[in-house]
Amino acid sequence: MDPLTCSCKKREVALNGSNGAPELLRQLAGGVGPKSQRIRDFVESLRPHQRARCQLFHKFSLGEVRASGGLFRHYNEHMAKVASFDLDHTKVRAPYVRLADLKYTPGGEVISKWDLRVGQPNREVIGTGAMHTFEHLLAMKMRDHLEGIVDVSPMGCRTGFYAVIIGQPAPEAVMDAFAKALADVVAHEGPVPAANPLECGNYRDHDLEEAKFWSRHVLKKGLHVQETILIEGR
């Protein structure tokens, strides 16, 4: 394998000479067709300082790739580098919705990760029981209001949640779905769904009333779309 790679340290896109796909190589070499557009979309998803180091817009000639053909593959970011560790938590203003990261499948489809922040980092912390209840309720309620939800998971810092979504919906659509889901939490009556020993690994640790408190808090304060603010020098 003789990959031509983006020089960006955060992510890598490679063209390699494995198992012929000559038409795909021609599309990539000529800078036309859907695969080339996916490369451009990928580069657009990079942060500015990463994109500045990325030479992916060069038009590849067939002489630059192995004649045996190749496959377009996305090599997503790192194993050790974590995007959320680049966020300056002292400069964000909760509650908010933020596009946290984008990933691409080998077929070029986009997966978006969203920061759904409830409490102000290092100032407000949600109790473990309420976080657990949120997890159960948001797993259903977010899917009621937005298509493509893969998962909604609590943050370990207990200030919010991450939503993983197929595609890249508009931030306003994610914010609207989150607000509606929180309103559903406030309106919920009766047992917490799946809070039983058959369906839950810690079914006694729930707090619906605190989850409702935080939901009201967010709705009263109002959500906004938060831009990513990087730690200086990252």
Side-chain angles (χ1 to χ4, degrees), residues 157-210:
C157 61
R158 292 187 285 131
T159 61
F161 306 86
Y162 283 118
V164 178
I165 303 173
I166 298 171
Q168 187 180 351
E172 292 77 12
V174 178
M175 184 170 63
D176 182 65
F178 189 36
K180 288 177 177 176
L182 291 175
D184 290 341
V185 172
V186 172
H188 183 80
E189 299 294 340
V192 174
N196 61 72
L198 290 178
E199 298 175 281
C200 181
N202 190 16
Y203 76 98
R204 297 182 182 89
D205 187 21
H206 281 278
D207 193 332
L208 178 58
E209 290 308 309
E210 187 182 345

Side-chain angles (χ1 to χ4, degrees), residues 1-196:
M1 185 175 70
D2 183 21
L4 300 174
T5 64
C6 165
S7 60
C8 168
K9 293 180 181 179
K10 299 279 286 185
R11 305 178 191 213
E12 183 177 327
V13 173
L15 306 176
N16 67 70
S18 60
N19 300 327
E23 181 56 33
L24 177 55
L25 282 179
R26 291 189 194 100
Q27 290 178 355
L28 293 170
V32 296
K35 294 295 183 181
S36 290
Q37 186 58 52
R38 285 172 182 170
I39 291 178
R40 293 187 180 92
D41 291 343
F42 174 79
V43 174
E44 285 299 318
S45 76
L46 297 174
R47 295 172 181 145
H49 70 284
Q50 297 167 353
R51 192 161 60 243
R53 297 198 302 267
C54 188
Q55 302 302 313
L56 229 55
F57 284 115
H58 290 178
K59 288 187 176 181
F60 300 111
S61 69
L62 287 180
E64 291 176 300
V65 272
R66 302 181 71 175
S68 60
L71 296 174
F72 168 62
R73 295 195 297 173
H74 287 288
Y75 286 90
N76 281 312
E77 187 176 83
H78 69 294
M79 288 298 287
K81 189 70 175 176
V82 180
S84 63
F85 293 169
D86 287 339
L87 178 69
D88 189 335
H89 287 72
T90 68
K91 293 182 179 178
V92 295
R93 181 171 58 85
Y96 64 74
V97 166
R98 179 181 68 89
L99 177 60
D101 202 4
L102 293 173
K103 298 292 185 187
Y104 288 81
T105 69
E109 302 303 319
V110 65
I111 305 293
S112 55
K113 176 184 176 183
W114 296 83
D115 172 354
L116 312 179
R117 195 73 62 156
V118 172
Q120 184 65 29
N122 298 302
R123 295 183 186 176
E124 299 174 317
V125 180
I126 305 169
T128 58
M131 287 295 287
H132 194 182
T133 298
F134 267 129
E135 180 190 17
H136 281 224
L137 289 173
L138 293 180
M140 299 188 311
K141 303 305 183 182
M142 285 293 290
R143 287 177 169 87
D144 288 343
H145 302 296
L146 191 66
E147 294 184 357
I149 296 286
V150 176
D151 190 35
V152 181
S153 301
M155 295 177 179
C157 61
R158 292 187 285 131
T159 61
F161 306 86
Y162 283 118
V164 178
I165 303 173
I166 298 171
Q168 187 180 351
E172 292 77 12
V174 178
M175 184 170 63
D176 182 65
F178 189 36
K180 288 177 177 176
L182 291 175
D184 290 341
V185 172
V186 172
H188 183 80
E189 299 294 340
V192 174
N196 61 72

